[in-house]
Amino acid sequence: MTNNKSKDLIFKYHKKELYQGFELQNRNIFPDLNLVGYEFIHQVTKARLVYLDKDDPNKTFGVVFKTIPQDSSGVAHILEHVVLCGSKKYPVRDPFFSMLKRSLQNFMNAFTANDWTMYPFSTVNEKDFFNLFSVYLDAAFFPKISHLSFLQEGWRVELADNSKLESDFLVKGVVFNEMKGAMSTQAEIMSRRLLQALYPTVTYHQNSGGEPVNILELTWENLKKFHETYYHPSNASFFLYGDVPLMKALKILNKNVLSNFLLGETDIAVAKEERYKKPKISQFTYPKEGEGKDLCQLMLAWLNCENIDMEKVMIFKILDNILLSNSGAPLRKALIESKLGSSLSDSSGYESELKDTFFAVGLKGVEVDDLDKVENLILDTLAKISKTTIARELIDSALHQFEITLRDLDASTYPKGLTLLLSITGGWLHGAEPLKLLDFSNQLDNVKQTLKKPRFLENLIESELLNNNHRVRVELRPEHDYLKKQDHAIAQKVQTMQKDSSLAAREFIQKNTIKLTQSQKIKENIDMLPKVELSDINLTEQGLAQDKLMLVELDKSRLGNFYYYRQPTNQMAYWQAEFSAQQLSTYEKELLPTLGLVLVGAGTANSLYDKMALKISRYTGGVDMSPNPFLIFKPGNKIVNNFVLTSKCLVENFTHLVDIIKELVAGFSLHNTSRIEDLLKQKSDGLRNHLLSAGHSYANKLAMKNLHGLASLEETYFGITQIKFAQRITKLNKGELTSLTLDLTNLAKKIFSVEPEIVLIAPEDKEDSFIESTNNNFGNSLKMFSQTSKVKPKMPPPNKKNFKIKNELCLLNTPVSYVAQTYKVGDLFSPDSPTLLVLANLLRGGFLHREIREKGGAYGAMTSYDAEKGLFSLLSYRDPNLSQTWHIFGESLRWAAGAKFSEEELSSAIIQSFSKLDKPISVRQQALRDYNLKLIGVDYEFRNSYRQALVSINFNKITKLASELLRKPSAKAAISSAEIWEQEKANLNQDDYNVHQL
């Protein structure tokens, strides 16, 4: 692959020369990424640094440390939190969260992986970049690591009544509660137990995030020792990306950090795992939900090559794609069609980030008596594949997906710089050359040549899987009392502490609680922290794609409006069709998400589902069909209920994409009830997995559904209602399933009888052929659904329905809660809208973070102003509290209404609002944003007047609006457990809650 811009890429820095204490070791030009890469090493400390010089204003920085925990106390994870709680230069309690309010950052976080810890950020503003650069460097290398920060972020015991020394002990802490929530999900348990079984002697055997019961073993002293051991420049890898002024950055880095250190330990490394001489079996448990059958997960996993073997790693990724990536992949197909389970096990696939990589595959939803059958099926299927010849179309499909990944500018939710950093971190930290890791195209070219060798992949399966004795069978079996046993183990440890505690120890706990409470109440002066000013913000919106929009007039077509966006897409094409789904019954609305699933996954009249899956993989980057409801503001606030088809491809495959969409729509066939049954089970499993990882989002949807028609529709499609519907239809008998397929067929015909609106984003020189292909091949194929040439969808009535406010509660097996409270407020066109956006940021940073996270111990506290629907929400995530959190939500509004915030806090909240508005997006996202804004009636002039209004927000506007919210009724909702609800309902009127049981 080539890029026309590559001729403009030149070297600015030269090998073996010194730059601010760094020597340039390697450099390379990457035409496909349109950047120049440099690798430096610091002369004294041997710190490593990679700079990716690219004409991209979204600058990224990251520093990564190899961190190798020797136990499951969560030391690396807790240190990641505590490091960001004050440093030598910035000795305030919480510089990280303070900088969120003083910055135009579009990404700012920290990650703890199994063997590394990373501190990255991204911003488009140069002043902001160096502000964050200074704070991050000081935090990582010169943190305070105060005892109070350890107690707050890690774990602590408190007296149930702090005025009474004889009171029982209670355990609290942010990471403690975070990991209680994380380690209650089946997916996280399988991930951790798989590593525990597969790596008996090295760090991966431990839970780097922390096992809740083991977190109580971590001491403050050991936390500080861990920092001393691993947070040294000699164990650090620095990363810069974008149009960063390199010499300025290197000078600051050398002067402020590296010049303060001598050479430290440089051979910190994960040991090579000892290999098993024969396969092992490990059994674990997970929290059972409900009263159904005892269903298990089974996973087989093999230890493979080291991750610095780049060519072999890519070959394993291709093999993973061939075996598991889609419905036509032979190993996936054999497992799903066996009916021995519902879907692939959590963590199935190839993992290349660890020093010794592994391949894993299995099934979930397996009956105990069928566990041996699943293992035998996996081994027999691999043996069969190794003895035959892998079809060339499978190999070509896998290679094509790699090329899509290289070309697609929209492939990650992270900023581009961070995506590139994450792609090289695993190999880089274990000894691979970082610039070679970035040379994806050459790696792929080499692999293509290797795969031409006769039976190469077949022999690889035999040698690296079938004949590999370092294999584990991991079983997860359901246990009703799993969470009770976890709580009991924690309680026993706390009781032992309590029993063995002296009077002096209890007094120490009492004093620490007072100190921590006092420190959390102190309003610190954070003027020492750098910040951007309102004067640094551009009040005119940047990057509009309107001038690249072409509305195409098509006659004698089955298409409605056709929009073509001329964009530099790196030779990718993005395709979208919007069908009206306006006139649907309640049942049809519940069914609509399932329709998208089966249309893509059940096959067509001409192609069985596995053949269609291979075709989609071979020529596209995937096809998705799903509901897409939204609100048209002008005229009349009308709710639009659409069904959207999306896909993407390399430009040379566009005619294939259109043919595939045409076949899926005009040639669908829903007669294969066995396949549809499999899809329904996979969907139900997927939704259930997602619930506890995004519980706050589901709680918010529950609260909002009783306040707005669009929110109600979205909850039906994407909330608890959809999870319950998915669970219900997985239990249908054969006759009921046949009836369901008829309902789906009729719903599809109803949807496709209405002419769609098309959006196409692609290079300018392709527009004529792409428009013609879409119109003739796809548009004309829709005529079969209607006798008329064009059917206009009926516009809905304005959104004037009055909703009755209700409180909602969803109960399941979880040790923590996800809490929401929502108010009906003004929408985007309300004069209050800019103030509501600022108020949301003010409440989160000025009050909720302190009260819910720092004091309450929840992992997160959030706010949300949904301007489309005019809904204002307060939320918590992995929260040990329920009624107390609802109380705090009310107190936050009283705090704002009483003007108990400073001018500095208000200014910071305004800056945060611009940070969200100006977050960089890809060319595809930009085009779709502008298309959607045009569709709903929001023009360029309005957007810029909105920005102007933000900078005029003052105390009076905030206090007036907060006071009005206090007088408004609100809708409350929570995702919690029956045990928590039983404990809490005495504090609440239980009759006010509509309870859902999952």
Side-chain angles (χ1 to χ4, degrees):
M1 294 180 294
T2 60
N3 189 307
N4 292 333
K5 292 186 179 181
S6 63
K7 63 179 181 294
D8 300 324
L9 300 175
I10 59 172
F11 291 122
K12 300 176 185 175
Y13 310 102
H14 306 287
K15 292 180 69 171
K16 303 303 180 183
E17 290 193 11
L18 282 179
Y19 300 92
Q20 303 294 333
F22 286 86
E23 180 182 308
L24 180 59
Q25 299 284 299
N26 294 299
R27 62 184 187 175
N28 199 5
I29 290 174
F30 300 95
D32 296 309
L33 298 172
N34 194 30
L35 59 81
V36 181
Y38 301 93
E39 180 187 2
F40 297 88
I41 189 166
H42 189 251
Q43 274 199 311
V44 176
T45 64
K46 303 307 177 187
R48 301 174 295 175
L49 184 144
V50 165
Y51 171 48
L52 302 185
D53 184 7
K54 183 176 173 67
D55 184 20
D56 185 346
N58 197 22
K59 294 164 273 287
T60 295
F61 166 77
V63 57
V64 192
F65 302 96
K66 281 179 279 186
T67 46
I68 307 174
Q70 301 303 312
D71 57 39
S72 293
S73 66
V75 58
H77 185 190
I78 293 171
L79 181 60
E80 173 224 306
H81 282 238
V82 174
V83 153
L84 298 171
C85 292
S87 63
K88 182 179 179 181
K89 187 176 180 181
Y90 306 109
V92 297
R93 185 178 70 249
D94 201 346
F96 176 80
F97 281 95
S98 294
M99 286 305 295
L100 283 172
K101 300 179 287 186
R102 301 166 69 87
S103 167
L104 292 171
Q105 56 79 30
N106 54 76
F107 185 90
M108 186 177 162
N109 212 330
F111 303 136
T112 301
N114 290 291
D115 55 12
W116 54 257
T117 306
M118 178 187 294
Y119 299 89
F121 69 79
S122 291
T123 179
V124 297
N125 184 285
E126 185 175 313
K127 176 183 176 181
D128 193 34
F129 176 87
F130 285 106
N131 288 349
L132 292 169
F133 192 53
S134 176
V135 172
Y136 262 60
L137 289 176
D138 207 61
F141 292 97
F142 310 109
K144 287 167 43 179
I145 315 184
S146 73
H147 187 229
L148 291 182
S149 294
F150 167 67
L151 297 179
Q152 174 183 285
E153 297 298 314
W155 74 278
R156 65 187 182 275
V157 290
E158 292 185 358
L159 301 174
D161 183 343
N162 205 48
S163 66
K164 298 178 181 178
L165 289 176
E166 68 274 14
S167 290
D168 288 340
F169 284 8
L170 301 176
V171 61
K172 297 182 179 180
V174 173
V175 172
F176 174 74
N177 285 316
E178 177 191 353
M179 295 311 296
K180 278 188 73 177
M183 293 308 296
S184 68
T185 67
Q186 199 175 153
E188 187 69 19
I189 292 170
M190 173 54 88
S191 173
R192 296 295 182 178
R193 300 304 175 242
L194 173 61
L195 296 184
Q196 185 177 333
L198 197 58
Y199 298 92
T201 67
V202 300
T203 186
Y204 309 129
H205 186 79
Q206 313 300 336
N207 184 343
S208 63
E211 295 285 341
V213 69
N214 297 123
I215 286 174
L216 307 187
E217 299 164 4
L218 180 64
T219 66
W220 178 44
E221 289 73 20
N222 285 341
L223 188 79
K224 291 188 289 184
K225 287 179 183 177
F226 197 84
H227 183 272
E228 290 172 8
T229 301
Y230 294 108
Y231 281 57
H232 188 284
S234 300
N235 185 45
S237 298
F238 297 93
F239 178 88
L240 295 165
Y241 165 90
D243 59 0
V244 177
L246 179 63
M247 289 304 105
K248 181 178 179 180
L250 293 183
K251 183 177 180 180
I252 292 171
L253 177 56
N254 189 41
K255 179 182 177 181
N256 293 358
V257 177
L258 303 183
S259 62
N260 295 282
F261 293 86
L262 298 175
L263 181 65
E265 187 69 47
T266 58
D267 61 352
I268 292 173
V270 177
K272 189 170 177 59
E273 181 56 78
E274 297 177 11
R275 299 286 171 143
Y276 289 142
K277 291 185 170 52
K278 62 179 182 178
K280 306 284 186 180
I281 297 177
S282 297
Q283 293 181 352
F284 304 96
T285 59
Y286 74 91
K288 182 177 179 180
E289 295 283 358
E291 300 298 325
K293 290 182 179 179
D294 284 347
L295 298 178
C296 310
Q297 277 204 61
L298 180 138
M299 181 80 84
L300 289 191
W302 295 261
L303 213 58
N304 301 129
C305 66
E306 291 192 51
N307 70 349
I308 61 172
D309 188 341
M310 290 175 282
E311 182 174 324
K312 199 165 187 181
V313 165
M314 183 170 279
I315 288 170
F316 267 113
K317 288 180 179 179
I318 289 169
L319 181 62
D320 174 28
N321 188 288
I322 289 169
L323 294 176
L324 295 176
S325 67
N326 60 70
S327 301
L331 184 52
R332 183 189 192 102
K333 184 171 182 278
L335 285 167
I336 298 302
E337 288 191 346
S338 72
K339 305 293 185 182
L340 293 171
S342 55
S343 58
L344 290 187
S345 286
D346 301 312
S347 299
S348 286
Y350 181 62
E351 172 56 63
S352 63
E353 293 303 304
L354 309 184
K355 179 181 177 67
D356 289 302
T357 65
F358 69 84
F359 177 77
V361 63
L363 274 178
K364 63 192 302 184
V366 180
E367 295 191 24
V368 174
D369 292 343
D370 289 335
L371 290 172
D372 288 341
K373 295 177 184 177
V374 174
E375 177 177 7
N376 292 334
L377 177 61
I378 293 170
L379 296 176
D380 291 346
T381 303
L382 287 172
K384 181 179 177 181
I385 295 169
S386 72
K387 289 182 173 66
T388 57
T389 300
I390 294 174
R392 188 67 218 181
E393 64 178 344
L394 288 169
I395 298 173
D396 289 342
S397 172
L399 293 171
H400 170 259
Q401 289 302 312
F402 267 80
E403 189 165 355
I404 284 276
T405 301
L406 296 182
R407 292 262 195 99
D408 189 6
L409 301 176
D410 195 37
S412 174
T413 55
Y414 291 128
K416 186 64 176 179
L418 180 54
T419 300
L420 291 171
L421 171 56
L422 291 170
S423 74
I424 66 173
T425 295
W428 186 16
L429 295 191
H430 293 297
E433 293 182 34
L435 298 188
K436 287 186 178 179
L437 289 167
L438 284 167
D439 200 358
F440 309 121
S441 293
N442 280 335
Q443 291 177 42
L444 190 56
D445 289 341
N446 292 337
V447 166
K448 286 178 180 178
Q449 294 304 312
T450 299
L451 294 182
K452 290 180 180 178
K453 297 177 182 178
R455 298 191 53 74
F456 182 85
L457 290 174
E458 293 85 350
N459 292 336
L460 186 72
I461 292 172
E462 189 170 342
S463 62
E464 299 291 339
L465 299 180
L466 293 171
N467 295 332
N468 180 354
N469 283 326
H470 197 107
R471 184 182 87 218
V472 296
R473 165 172 155 171
V474 179
E475 298 173 10
L476 280 192
R477 300 191 178 208
E479 183 178 24
H480 271 288
D481 296 331
Y482 180 96
L483 295 180
K484 288 182 179 178
K485 287 183 177 179
Q486 177 179 269
D487 287 343
H488 180 68
I490 292 169
Q492 278 193 316
K493 189 161 284 192
V494 173
Q495 285 170 7
T496 300
M497 294 179 198
Q498 182 174 321
K499 180 181 177 182
D500 296 343
S501 63
S502 63
L503 178 61
R506 287 173 171 269
E507 288 175 340
F508 184 68
I509 291 170
Q510 185 184 54
K511 289 176 182 177
N512 278 334
T513 301
I514 293 170
K515 286 180 183 178
L516 181 59
T517 302
Q518 289 175 339
S519 74
Q520 291 168 338
K521 287 180 179 179
I522 293 173
K523 196 166 188 176
E524 293 183 302
N525 182 356
I526 59 173
D527 288 344
M528 67 181 67
L529 289 170
K531 66 173 289 188
V532 292
E533 306 292 342
L534 289 175
S535 58
D536 296 316
I537 296 171
N538 193 330
L539 295 183
T540 302
E541 188 173 81
Q542 303 297 301
L544 294 172
Q546 291 283 5
D547 59 334
K548 296 176 181 177
L549 164 66
M550 180 175 68
L551 175 59
V552 183
E553 297 291 341
L554 295 175
D555 296 324
K556 298 180 180 178
S557 169
R558 283 288 296 127
L559 303 175
N561 288 334
F562 193 122
Y563 293 93
Y564 191 98
Y565 277 84
R566 306 175 179 95
Q567 289 281 11
T569 59
N570 200 23
Q571 295 303 300
M572 290 286 296
Y574 302 92
W575 190 95
Q576 177 171 306
E578 295 263 2
F579 288 87
S580 174
Q582 207 63 53
Q583 308 300 320
L584 300 186
S585 66
T586 299
Y587 169 64
E588 288 174 324
K589 289 172 185 175
E590 290 183 328
L591 201 56
L592 196 57
T594 303
L595 177 65
L597 175 74
V598 299
L599 287 177
V600 175
T604 67
N606 294 326
S607 303
L608 295 176
Y609 80 87
D610 54 338
K611 297 300 180 185
M612 177 53 70
L614 287 173
K615 199 184 299 186
I616 291 171
S617 180
R618 175 65 184 85
Y619 294 110
T620 79
V623 177
D624 182 72
M625 302 185 190
S626 62
N628 181 35
F630 57 91
L631 190 71
I632 293 180
F633 286 106
K634 295 181 179 179
N637 278 16
K638 297 174 181 178
I639 297 172
V640 175
N641 186 25
N642 277 4
F643 185 69
V644 62
L645 282 60
T646 59
S647 188
K648 61 187 176 183
C649 67
L650 303 175
V651 292
E652 60 262 34
N653 290 330
F654 186 76
T655 55
H656 291 291
L657 178 146
V658 175
D659 287 341
I660 288 169
I661 298 291
K662 172 184 173 181
E663 184 175 352
L664 290 172
V665 170
F668 71 85
S669 174
L670 304 182
H671 299 303
N672 187 346
T673 55
S674 178
R675 172 60 182 163
I676 290 174
E677 183 180 29
D678 292 338
L679 290 169
L680 297 179
K681 290 177 181 177
Q682 291 171 47
K683 176 184 177 179
S684 183
D685 283 347
L687 288 174
R688 191 54 184 261
N689 272 352
H690 186 247
L691 173 57
L692 286 180
S693 65
H696 63 302
S697 176
Y698 283 91
N700 195 27
K701 288 184 178 68
L702 272 179
M704 293 195 301
K705 79 171 191 174
N706 295 314
L707 296 175
H708 195 282
L710 179 57
S712 177
L713 198 55
E714 289 177 339
E715 205 283 327
T716 297
Y717 290 150
F718 312 117
I720 296 297
T721 297
Q722 187 60 210
I723 294 178
K724 292 169 71 175
F725 182 77
Q727 290 179 335
R728 190 164 74 246
I729 60 178
T730 57
K731 299 173 183 176
L732 299 179
N733 60 39
K734 190 173 182 180
E736 292 169 332
L737 188 59
T738 300
S739 179
L740 177 72
T741 63
L742 291 175
D743 293 339
L744 288 165
T745 298
N746 291 331
L747 180 57
K749 291 177 179 178
K750 187 173 185 177
I751 297 292
F752 297 141
S753 67
V754 179
E755 62 181 21
E757 187 157 282
I758 302 290
V759 182
L760 182 55
I761 307 159
E764 184 172 4
D765 60 345
K766 301 292 183 182
E767 60 192 46
D768 290 340
S769 62
F770 283 9
I771 292 167
E772 181 181 1
S773 178
T774 300
N775 184 33
N776 293 340
N777 290 359
F778 177 67
N780 290 335
S781 69
L782 295 173
K783 291 181 179 178
M784 64 180 290
F785 293 109
S786 176
Q787 297 301 313
T788 58
S789 61
K790 289 192 177 184
V791 178
K792 293 285 186 183
K794 295 179 181 178
M795 284 304 295
N799 177 46
K800 294 182 178 179
K801 181 178 178 180
N802 291 319
F803 285 83
K804 183 179 179 182
I805 293 178
K806 296 178 184 176
N807 297 324
E808 305 279 346
L809 186 68
C810 179
L811 302 180
L812 60 151
N813 210 359
T814 173
V816 289
S817 299
Y818 306 81
V819 189
Q821 185 164 345
T822 301
Y823 297 83
K824 186 79 179 78
V825 295
D827 64 21
L828 183 64
F829 283 92
S830 163
D832 290 335
S833 182
T835 308
L836 286 162
L837 182 60
V838 173
L839 177 62
N841 290 320
L842 180 66
L843 292 177
R844 179 182 183 272
F847 192 91
L848 295 177
H849 173 76
R850 179 179 67 249
E851 298 297 323
I852 290 178
R853 191 179 192 276
E854 292 182 351
K855 294 182 183 180
Y859 182 61
M862 292 80 79
T863 54
S864 168
Y865 169 50
D866 188 329
E868 182 184 20
K869 294 183 278 291
L871 297 175
F872 189 91
S873 298
L874 309 168
L875 311 164
S876 72
Y877 182 79
R878 287 183 179 163
D879 193 341
N881 306 300
L882 186 59
S883 58
Q884 178 186 335
T885 296
W886 277 317
H887 173 73
I888 291 171
F889 288 160
E891 289 300 305
S892 72
L893 291 174
R894 292 184 186 91
W895 170 82
K900 296 178 182 178
F901 52 94
S902 66
E903 189 69 49
E904 166 65 25
E905 287 173 311
L906 178 57
S907 173
S908 296
I910 295 172
I911 289 169
Q912 274 187 286
S913 300
F914 279 101
S915 174
K916 293 176 182 178
L917 290 177
D918 291 339
K919 184 175 182 178
I921 54 178
S922 69
V923 291
R924 183 195 73 88
Q925 293 167 330
Q926 184 186 73
L928 289 177
R929 178 197 64 180
D930 288 354
Y931 161 73
N932 290 328
L933 289 174
K934 179 181 178 67
L935 200 64
I936 67 177
V938 178
D939 58 23
Y940 173 79
E941 287 74 23
F942 174 81
R943 295 199 293 270
N944 280 306
S945 67
Y946 194 95
R947 296 168 70 87
Q948 295 283 345
L950 281 172
V951 297
S952 69
I953 305 300
N954 55 39
F955 272 75
N956 289 338
K957 290 182 179 180
I958 292 291
T959 56
K960 178 176 179 291
L961 196 56
S963 298
E964 289 174 359
L965 282 178
L966 278 170
R967 295 192 294 270
K968 281 179 173 282
S970 65
K972 298 176 182 178
I975 310 295
S976 192
S977 69
E979 289 77 14
I980 295 172
W981 176 238
E982 190 64 31
Q983 295 168 10
E984 293 269 9
K985 66 183 182 183
N987 302 320
L988 302 162
N989 185 349
Q990 63 190 62
D991 295 332
D992 289 344
Y993 291 83
N994 180 27
V995 179
H996 309 263
Q997 186 76 51
L998 286 183

